[in-house]
Amino acid sequence: MRLLIRNIGCLQTPAGSYSHKGSKQGKNLKLYNAAIAVEDGIIKAVTEDGRLPEGSFDEEIDAEGKLATPGFVDGHTHLVFGGYRQNEIPMKLAGAGYLDILKAGGGILDTVRKTREASFEELYDKSSGFLDEMLHMGITTCEAKSGYGLDLENELKMLEVIKALGEKHPMDVVPTFMGAHAIPPEYEGRGDEYIDMLCNEVIPEVRKRGLAEFCDVFCEDSVFDAAQSRKYMEKAREYGFELKIHADEIEDIGGSALAGEMEAVSAEHLIAAGEAGMDSMAAGGTTAMLLPATSFYLGKTYAPARTMIDKGIPVAIASDFNPGSCPSLNLQLAVNLGYLRYKMTPEEILTAVTINPACAINRGDIVGTVEEGKQADIVIWNAPDFEMLCYRFGSNLADKIIKKGELIK
Ligand code: NIG
Ligand code: FE
């Protein structure tokens, strides 16, 4: 099947299959009056200045002079969960902190109860609906974490749901095991024993079944400390997983420093990251997976994105979609916050929602840019340029979504 996308006012895309740091983060190609030829889901040619790719085509899409970009890559989601947590909002408005609610057995642990109760089918149907919504908002690849099961049976159930979604849904879904997301009630006060159980029983089983590519841990005050996180990460590495770590979301207890030292692929959140942690990440080649909608929803400050770019840390921006700290899967909203709060440029932000997260989930050679040989995941936006997407707020500006060369919307 040969598809021609023509009449693109501006095709804006990072270039290459590697993550972009420092001044490279802000370099995008801008091809005006462009066209893209696609064959069997793969980009075959990209042209500009009104020239058209050679050959005949089975199908044509008229981009009507609008902006085209690579499909967005959401590199951090907690896509699969039972129930919701709207009941927490009055508590938060009355002054309870995120960790206060967790310590009282709510928060993540409330979602764990509901996820354990939910069947595979219930979780699958609900998450599949979220993926539909994400696709319609211009996200064509996402990562998805387990971490609301917190025992062997329910972590495997979550990962099986993620696997089935990746196989059946048009979205590409990349699985991460996050058994170290909280200490489950049956291990209350025994965090070390819980980490040992994950290391001895769950990590090996997840590897044996091939259910995840990454392991992630919530390194945070009153959740897992740096020593526990290190133990879990070492075991995960021994079993061939690549590493991710929720670090410095609320307190800097050494998570970002550990991320760099262990050469984690990415460290997530980093709201409270200090100089030493950031220097360690720069040295370790760790991507900063920043989650500005979570800062917004928790009423926190924003991660020091400009300092990170200056230090040569590749910056990615993701949704953190989850039922507690960020019940939004709208990555366009994160783009707005990247502009207004992180003070990143539109070009840096486009890199942060395409090639940088693609590399942080090991898909940089397949997606994240519009170039010959890459998968044809392309979004046409109701906007003339990417600056407009950074500026307009609250609308879904995705006009047409092309996933693996097929028009989805
Ligand atoms: O990335 N901070 C830890 N995990 C999630 C929130 C999970 C939840 O509250 O359910 C996060 O923000
Ligand atoms: Fe998260």
Side-chain angles (χ1 to χ4, degrees), residues 300-352:
K300 297 274 175 200
T301 54
Y302 287 79
R306 286 250 59 92
T307 309
M308 291 169 176
I309 292 173
D310 290 347
K311 284 183 184 288
I313 299 169
V315 170
I317 295 178
S319 71
D320 194 24
F321 177 51
N322 75 74
S325 65
C326 189
S328 168
L329 45 70
N330 185 349
L331 199 53
Q332 294 173 52
L333 179 63
V335 162
N336 300 129
L337 292 169
Y339 198 36
L340 294 169
R341 292 293 178 267
Y342 294 155
K343 303 186 194 310
M344 289 167 67
T345 66
E347 291 78 9
E348 288 169 340
I349 295 168
L350 183 62
T351 300

CSV table of all heavy atoms in Angstrom, one decimal, residues 300-352:
chain,number,residue,atom,x,y,z
A,300,LYS,N,2.9,21.6,43.0
A,300,LYS,CA,4.3,21.6,43.3
A,300,LYS,C,5.0,22.6,42.4
A,300,LYS,O,4.5,23.1,41.4
A,300,LYS,CB,4.9,20.2,43.1
A,300,LYS,CG,4.4,19.2,44.0
A,300,LYS,CD,5.1,19.1,45.3
A,300,LYS,CE,4.4,18.2,46.3
A,300,LYS,NZ,4.7,18.4,47.7
A,301,THR,N,6.3,22.8,42.7
A,301,THR,CA,7.1,23.5,41.7
A,301,THR,C,7.5,22.7,40.5
A,301,THR,O,7.1,21.5,40.5
A,301,THR,CB,8.5,24.0,42.4
A,301,THR,OG1,9.1,22.8,42.9
A,301,THR,CG2,8.2,25.0,43.5
A,302,TYR,N,8.2,23.3,39.6
A,302,TYR,CA,8.5,22.6,38.3
A,302,TYR,C,10.0,22.2,38.3
A,302,TYR,O,10.8,22.9,38.7
A,302,TYR,CB,8.1,23.5,37.2
A,302,TYR,CG,6.6,23.5,37.0
A,302,TYR,CD1,5.8,24.4,37.9
A,302,TYR,CD2,5.9,22.7,36.2
A,302,TYR,CE1,4.4,24.4,37.9
A,302,TYR,CE2,4.5,22.7,36.1
A,302,TYR,CZ,3.8,23.6,36.9
A,302,TYR,OH,2.4,23.6,36.9
A,303,ALA,N,10.2,21.0,37.7
A,303,ALA,CA,11.6,20.6,37.6
A,303,ALA,C,12.5,21.6,36.9
A,303,ALA,O,12.0,22.3,36.0
A,303,ALA,CB,11.6,19.2,36.8
A,304,PRO,N,13.8,21.7,37.2
A,304,PRO,CA,14.7,22.7,36.6
A,304,PRO,C,15.1,22.3,35.2
A,304,PRO,O,16.3,21.9,35.0
A,304,PRO,CB,15.8,22.7,37.6
A,304,PRO,CG,15.8,21.4,38.3
A,304,PRO,CD,14.4,20.9,38.3
A,305,ALA,N,14.2,22.3,34.3
A,305,ALA,CA,14.5,21.8,32.9
A,305,ALA,C,15.6,22.6,32.2
A,305,ALA,O,16.5,22.0,31.6
A,305,ALA,CB,13.2,21.9,32.1
A,306,ARG,N,15.6,23.9,32.4
A,306,ARG,CA,16.7,24.7,31.7
A,306,ARG,C,18.1,24.3,32.2
A,306,ARG,O,19.0,24.2,31.4
A,306,ARG,CB,16.5,26.2,31.9
A,306,ARG,CG,15.3,26.8,31.1
A,306,ARG,CD,15.8,27.7,29.9
A,306,ARG,NE,16.7,27.0,29.0
A,306,ARG,CZ,16.2,26.4,27.9
A,306,ARG,NH1,15.0,26.4,27.6
A,306,ARG,NH2,17.1,25.8,27.1
A,307,THR,N,18.2,24.1,33.5
A,307,THR,CA,19.5,23.7,34.1
A,307,THR,C,19.9,22.4,33.5
A,307,THR,O,21.0,22.1,33.2
A,307,THR,CB,19.4,23.6,35.6
A,307,THR,OG1,18.8,24.8,36.1
A,307,THR,CG2,20.7,23.4,36.3
A,308,MET,N,18.9,21.5,33.4
A,308,MET,CA,19.2,20.2,32.8
A,308,MET,C,19.7,20.3,31.4
A,308,MET,O,20.7,19.6,31.0
A,308,MET,CB,18.0,19.3,32.9
A,308,MET,CG,17.6,18.9,34.3
A,308,MET,SD,16.0,18.2,34.4
A,308,MET,CE,15.9,17.8,36.2
A,309,ILE,N,19.1,21.1,30.6
A,309,ILE,CA,19.5,21.2,29.2
A,309,ILE,C,20.9,21.8,29.2
A,309,ILE,O,21.8,21.3,28.5
A,309,ILE,CB,18.5,22.1,28.4
A,309,ILE,CG1,17.2,21.3,28.3
A,309,ILE,CG2,19.1,22.5,27.0
A,309,ILE,CD1,16.1,22.1,27.6
A,310,ASP,N,21.2,22.8,30.1
A,310,ASP,CA,22.5,23.4,30.1
A,310,ASP,C,23.6,22.4,30.6
A,310,ASP,O,24.7,22.5,30.1
A,310,ASP,CB,22.5,24.6,31.1
A,310,ASP,CG,21.7,25.8,30.6
A,310,ASP,OD1,21.4,25.8,29.4
A,310,ASP,OD2,21.4,26.7,31.4
A,311,LYS,N,23.2,21.5,31.4
A,311,LYS,CA,24.1,20.5,31.9
A,311,LYS,C,24.3,19.3,30.9
A,311,LYS,O,25.1,18.4,31.1
A,311,LYS,CB,23.7,19.9,33.2
A,311,LYS,CG,23.9,20.8,34.4
A,311,LYS,CD,23.5,20.1,35.7
A,311,LYS,CE,23.6,21.1,36.9
A,311,LYS,NZ,25.0,21.3,37.3
A,312,GLY,N,23.6,19.3,29.8
A,312,GLY,CA,23.7,18.3,28.8
A,312,GLY,C,23.0,17.0,29.1
A,312,GLY,O,23.3,15.9,28.7
A,313,ILE,N,21.9,17.2,29.8
A,313,ILE,CA,21.0,16.0,30.1
A,313,ILE,C,19.9,16.0,29.0
A,313,ILE,O,19.2,17.1,28.9
A,313,ILE,CB,20.3,16.1,31.5
A,313,ILE,CG1,21.4,16.1,32.6
A,313,ILE,CG2,19.3,15.0,31.7
A,313,ILE,CD1,20.9,16.5,34.0
A,314,PRO,N,19.6,14.9,28.3
A,314,PRO,CA,18.5,14.9,27.4
A,314,PRO,C,17.2,15.0,28.2
A,314,PRO,O,17.0,14.3,29.1
A,314,PRO,CB,18.6,13.5,26.7
A,314,PRO,CG,19.9,12.9,27.1
A,314,PRO,CD,20.4,13.6,28.4
A,315,VAL,N,16.3,15.9,27.7
A,315,VAL,CA,15.1,16.1,28.4
A,315,VAL,C,13.9,15.6,27.6
A,315,VAL,O,13.8,15.8,26.4
A,315,VAL,CB,14.8,17.6,28.7
A,315,VAL,CG1,13.4,17.9,29.3
A,315,VAL,CG2,15.9,18.1,29.8
A,316,ALA,N,13.1,14.8,28.3
A,316,ALA,CA,11.8,14.3,27.7
A,316,ALA,C,10.7,14.8,28.6
A,316,ALA,O,10.9,15.0,29.7
A,316,ALA,CB,11.8,12.7,27.6
A,317,ILE,N,9.5,14.9,27.9
A,317,ILE,CA,8.3,15.4,28.7
A,317,ILE,C,7.2,14.3,28.5
A,317,ILE,O,6.9,13.9,27.3
A,317,ILE,CB,7.8,16.7,28.2
A,317,ILE,CG1,8.8,17.8,28.5
A,317,ILE,CG2,6.5,17.1,28.8
A,317,ILE,CD1,8.4,19.2,28.0
A,318,ALA,N,6.7,13.8,29.6
A,318,ALA,CA,5.6,12.8,29.5
A,318,ALA,C,4.4,13.2,30.3
A,318,ALA,O,4.4,14.2,31.0
A,318,ALA,CB,6.2,11.4,29.9
A,319,SER,N,3.4,12.3,30.2
A,319,SER,CA,2.1,12.7,30.9
A,319,SER,C,2.1,12.3,32.4
A,319,SER,O,1.5,13.0,33.2
A,319,SER,CB,0.9,12.1,30.2
A,319,SER,OG,0.9,10.6,30.4
A,320,ASP,N,2.7,11.1,32.7
A,320,ASP,CA,2.5,10.5,34.0
A,320,ASP,C,1.1,10.1,34.3
A,320,ASP,O,0.7,10.0,35.4
A,320,ASP,CB,3.1,11.4,35.1
A,320,ASP,CG,3.2,10.6,36.4
A,320,ASP,OD1,3.4,9.4,36.4
A,320,ASP,OD2,3.2,11.3,37.5
A,321,PHE,N,0.3,9.9,33.2
A,321,PHE,CA,-1.1,9.5,33.4
A,321,PHE,C,-1.3,8.4,34.5
A,321,PHE,O,-0.7,7.3,34.4
A,321,PHE,CB,-1.7,9.0,32.1
A,321,PHE,CG,-3.1,8.6,32.2
A,321,PHE,CD1,-4.1,9.4,32.8
A,321,PHE,CD2,-3.5,7.3,31.7
A,321,PHE,CE1,-5.4,9.0,32.9
A,321,PHE,CE2,-4.8,6.9,31.8
A,321,PHE,CZ,-5.8,7.7,32.4
A,322,ASN,N,-2.0,8.8,35.6
A,322,ASN,CA,-2.3,7.8,36.7
A,322,ASN,C,-3.5,8.3,37.5
A,322,ASN,O,-3.8,9.5,37.3
A,322,ASN,CB,-1.0,7.7,37.5
A,322,ASN,CG,-0.8,8.9,38.4
A,322,ASN,OD1,-1.5,9.1,39.4
A,322,ASN,ND2,0.2,9.7,38.1
A,323,PRO,N,-4.1,7.5,38.3
A,323,PRO,CA,-5.3,7.9,39.0
A,323,PRO,C,-5.1,8.9,40.1
A,323,PRO,O,-6.1,9.4,40.7
A,323,PRO,CB,-5.9,6.6,39.4
A,323,PRO,CG,-4.8,5.7,39.6
A,323,PRO,CD,-3.8,6.1,38.6
A,324,GLY,N,-3.9,9.1,40.6
A,324,GLY,CA,-3.7,10.0,41.7
A,324,GLY,C,-3.1,11.3,41.4
A,324,GLY,O,-3.7,12.3,41.5
A,325,SER,N,-1.8,11.3,41.1
A,325,SER,CA,-1.0,12.6,40.9
A,325,SER,C,-1.2,13.2,39.6
A,325,SER,O,-0.9,14.4,39.4
A,325,SER,CB,0.5,12.4,41.2
A,325,SER,OG,1.0,11.5,40.2
A,326,CYS,N,-1.8,12.5,38.6
A,326,CYS,CA,-2.1,13.1,37.3
A,326,CYS,C,-3.1,12.4,36.5
A,326,CYS,O,-2.7,11.6,35.6
A,326,CYS,CB,-0.8,13.2,36.5
A,326,CYS,SG,-1.0,14.3,35.0
A,327,PRO,N,-4.4,12.6,36.8
A,327,PRO,CA,-5.4,11.9,36.0
A,327,PRO,C,-5.7,12.5,34.6
A,327,PRO,O,-6.8,12.6,34.2
A,327,PRO,CB,-6.6,11.9,36.9
A,327,PRO,CG,-6.4,13.1,37.8
A,327,PRO,CD,-4.9,13.3,37.9
A,328,SER,N,-4.6,12.9,33.9
A,328,SER,CA,-4.8,13.4,32.6
A,328,SER,C,-3.8,12.7,31.6
A,328,SER,O,-2.6,12.5,32.0
A,328,SER,CB,-4.4,14.9,32.6
A,328,SER,OG,-4.3,15.4,31.2
A,329,LEU,N,-4.3,12.3,30.5
A,329,LEU,CA,-3.5,11.7,29.5
A,329,LEU,C,-3.2,12.7,28.3
A,329,LEU,O,-2.7,12.3,27.2
A,329,LEU,CB,-4.1,10.4,29.0
A,329,LEU,CG,-5.6,10.4,28.6
A,329,LEU,CD1,-5.9,11.1,27.4
A,329,LEU,CD2,-6.0,8.9,28.5
A,330,ASN,N,-3.4,13.9,28.6
A,330,ASN,CA,-3.3,15.0,27.5
A,330,ASN,C,-1.9,15.5,27.5
A,330,ASN,O,-1.5,16.4,28.2
A,330,ASN,CB,-4.3,16.1,27.8
A,330,ASN,CG,-4.3,17.1,26.7
A,330,ASN,OD1,-3.4,17.1,25.8
A,330,ASN,ND2,-5.3,18.0,26.7
A,331,LEU,N,-1.1,14.9,26.5
A,331,LEU,CA,0.3,15.4,26.4
A,331,LEU,C,0.4,16.8,25.8
A,331,LEU,O,1.4,17.4,26.0
A,331,LEU,CB,1.1,14.3,25.6
A,331,LEU,CG,2.6,14.3,25.7
A,331,LEU,CD1,3.1,14.2,27.1
A,331,LEU,CD2,3.2,13.1,24.9
A,332,GLN,N,-0.6,17.2,25.2
A,332,GLN,CA,-0.6,18.6,24.6
A,332,GLN,C,-0.6,19.6,25.8
A,332,GLN,O,0.0,20.7,25.7
A,332,GLN,CB,-1.8,18.9,23.7
A,332,GLN,CG,-1.8,18.0,22.5
A,332,GLN,CD,-3.1,18.2,21.7
A,332,GLN,OE1,-3.5,19.3,21.3
A,332,GLN,NE2,-3.7,17.0,21.3
A,333,LEU,N,-1.2,19.2,26.9
A,333,LEU,CA,-1.2,20.1,28.1
A,333,LEU,C,0.2,20.1,28.7
A,333,LEU,O,0.7,21.2,29.1
A,333,LEU,CB,-2.2,19.5,29.1
A,333,LEU,CG,-2.4,20.2,30.5
A,333,LEU,CD1,-2.9,21.6,30.3
A,333,LEU,CD2,-3.3,19.4,31.4
A,334,ALA,N,0.9,19.0,28.7
A,334,ALA,CA,2.3,19.0,29.2
A,334,ALA,C,3.2,19.8,28.3
A,334,ALA,O,4.1,20.5,28.7
A,334,ALA,CB,2.8,17.5,29.2
A,335,VAL,N,2.8,19.9,27.0
A,335,VAL,CA,3.6,20.8,26.0
A,335,VAL,C,3.4,22.2,26.5
A,335,VAL,O,4.4,23.0,26.5
A,335,VAL,CB,3.1,20.5,24.6
A,335,VAL,CG1,3.5,21.7,23.7
A,335,VAL,CG2,3.6,19.2,24.1
A,336,ASN,N,2.2,22.6,26.8
A,336,ASN,CA,1.9,24.0,27.2
A,336,ASN,C,2.7,24.3,28.5
A,336,ASN,O,3.3,25.4,28.6
A,336,ASN,CB,0.4,24.2,27.6
A,336,ASN,CG,-0.5,24.0,26.4
A,336,ASN,OD1,-1.5,23.3,26.5
A,336,ASN,ND2,-0.2,24.6,25.3
A,337,LEU,N,2.7,23.4,29.4
A,337,LEU,CA,3.5,23.6,30.7
A,337,LEU,C,5.0,23.6,30.5
A,337,LEU,O,5.7,24.4,31.1
A,337,LEU,CB,3.1,22.5,31.7
A,337,LEU,CG,1.6,22.6,32.2
A,337,LEU,CD1,1.2,21.4,33.0
A,337,LEU,CD2,1.4,23.9,33.0
A,338,GLY,N,5.4,22.8,29.5
A,338,GLY,CA,6.9,22.8,29.2
A,338,GLY,C,7.3,24.2,28.7
A,338,GLY,O,8.4,24.7,29.0
A,339,TYR,N,6.4,24.8,28.0
A,339,TYR,CA,6.7,26.2,27.4
A,339,TYR,C,6.6,27.2,28.5
A,339,TYR,O,7.5,28.0,28.7
A,339,TYR,CB,5.6,26.5,26.3
A,339,TYR,CG,5.9,27.6,25.4
A,339,TYR,CD1,7.2,27.8,24.9
A,339,TYR,CD2,4.9,28.4,24.9
A,339,TYR,CE1,7.5,28.8,24.0
A,339,TYR,CE2,5.1,29.4,23.9
A,339,TYR,CZ,6.4,29.6,23.5
A,339,TYR,OH,6.7,30.6,22.6
A,340,LEU,N,5.5,27.2,29.3
A,340,LEU,CA,5.2,28.3,30.2
A,340,LEU,C,5.9,28.2,31.5
A,340,LEU,O,6.3,29.1,32.2
A,340,LEU,CB,3.7,28.4,30.5
A,340,LEU,CG,2.9,28.8,29.3
A,340,LEU,CD1,1.4,28.6,29.6
A,340,LEU,CD2,3.1,30.3,28.9
A,341,ARG,N,6.1,26.9,32.0
A,341,ARG,CA,6.7,26.7,33.3
A,341,ARG,C,8.2,26.3,33.2
A,341,ARG,O,9.0,26.8,33.9
A,341,ARG,CB,6.0,25.6,34.1
A,341,ARG,CG,4.6,26.1,34.5
A,341,ARG,CD,4.6,27.2,35.5
A,341,ARG,NE,3.3,27.7,35.8
A,341,ARG,CZ,2.6,28.7,35.2
A,341,ARG,NH1,3.3,29.4,34.3
A,341,ARG,NH2,1.4,29.1,35.6
A,342,TYR,N,8.6,25.4,32.3
A,342,TYR,CA,10.0,25.0,32.1
A,342,TYR,C,10.7,26.1,31.3
A,342,TYR,O,11.9,26.1,31.3
A,342,TYR,CB,10.1,23.6,31.4
A,342,TYR,CG,9.6,22.4,32.2
A,342,TYR,CD1,9.2,21.3,31.5
A,342,TYR,CD2,9.5,22.4,33.6
A,342,TYR,CE1,8.8,20.2,32.1
A,342,TYR,CE2,9.1,21.3,34.2
A,342,TYR,CZ,8.7,20.2,33.5
A,342,TYR,OH,8.2,19.0,34.2
A,343,LYS,N,10.0,26.9,30.6
A,343,LYS,CA,10.6,27.9,29.7
A,343,LYS,C,11.5,27.2,28.6
A,343,LYS,O,12.5,27.8,28.3
A,343,LYS,CB,11.4,28.9,30.5
A,343,LYS,CG,10.5,29.6,31.6
A,343,LYS,CD,11.3,30.7,32.2
A,343,LYS,CE,10.7,31.3,33.5
A,343,LYS,NZ,9.3,31.7,33.4
A,344,MET,N,11.0,26.1,28.2
A,344,MET,CA,11.7,25.4,27.0
A,344,MET,C,11.2,26.1,25.7
A,344,MET,O,10.1,26.6,25.7
A,344,MET,CB,11.5,23.9,27.0
A,344,MET,CG,12.2,23.2,28.2
A,344,MET,SD,11.6,21.5,28.4
A,344,MET,CE,12.2,20.7,26.9
A,345,THR,N,12.0,26.0,24.7
A,345,THR,CA,11.6,26.6,23.4
A,345,THR,C,10.7,25.5,22.7
A,345,THR,O,10.7,24.3,23.0
A,345,THR,CB,12.7,26.8,22.5
A,345,THR,OG1,13.4,25.6,22.1
A,345,THR,CG2,13.8,27.8,23.1
A,346,PRO,N,9.8,26.0,21.7
A,346,PRO,CA,9.0,25.0,21.0
A,346,PRO,C,9.8,23.9,20.4
A,346,PRO,O,9.4,22.7,20.5
A,346,PRO,CB,8.3,25.9,19.9
A,346,PRO,CG,8.2,27.2,20.6
A,346,PRO,CD,9.5,27.4,21.4
A,347,GLU,N,11.0,24.2,19.9
A,347,GLU,CA,11.8,23.1,19.2
A,347,GLU,C,12.3,22.1,20.3
A,347,GLU,O,12.3,20.9,20.1
A,347,GLU,CB,13.0,23.8,18.5
A,347,GLU,CG,12.7,24.6,17.3
A,347,GLU,CD,12.1,26.0,17.6
A,347,GLU,OE1,12.1,26.4,18.8
A,347,GLU,OE2,11.6,26.6,16.6
A,348,GLU,N,12.7,22.6,21.5
A,348,GLU,CA,13.2,21.7,22.5
A,348,GLU,C,12.0,20.9,23.0
A,348,GLU,O,12.2,19.7,23.3
A,348,GLU,CB,13.7,22.6,23.7
A,348,GLU,CG,15.0,23.2,23.5
A,348,GLU,CD,15.4,24.3,24.5
A,348,GLU,OE1,14.5,24.7,25.3
A,348,GLU,OE2,16.6,24.6,24.6
A,349,ILE,N,10.8,21.4,23.0
A,349,ILE,CA,9.7,20.7,23.5
A,349,ILE,C,9.3,19.6,22.5
A,349,ILE,O,9.0,18.4,22.9
A,349,ILE,CB,8.5,21.6,23.8
A,349,ILE,CG1,8.8,22.5,24.9
A,349,ILE,CG2,7.2,20.8,24.1
A,349,ILE,CD1,7.8,23.7,25.1
A,350,LEU,N,9.3,19.9,21.2
A,350,LEU,CA,9.0,18.9,20.2
A,350,LEU,C,10.0,17.7,20.4
A,350,LEU,O,9.6,16.5,20.4
A,350,LEU,CB,9.0,19.4,18.8
A,350,LEU,CG,8.6,18.4,17.7
A,350,LEU,CD1,7.2,17.9,17.9
A,350,LEU,CD2,8.8,19.0,16.3
A,351,THR,N,11.3,18.0,20.6
A,351,THR,CA,12.2,16.9,20.8
A,351,THR,C,11.9,16.1,22.0
A,351,THR,O,12.0,14.9,22.1
A,351,THR,CB,13.6,17.5,21.0
A,351,THR,OG1,14.0,18.2,19.8
A,351,THR,CG2,14.7,16.5,21.2
A,352,ALA,N,11.4,16.8,23.1
A,352,ALA,CA,11.0,16.2,24.4
A,352,ALA,C,9.8,15.3,24.3
A,352,ALA,O,9.6,14.5,25.3
A,352,ALA,CB,10.9,17.3,25.4
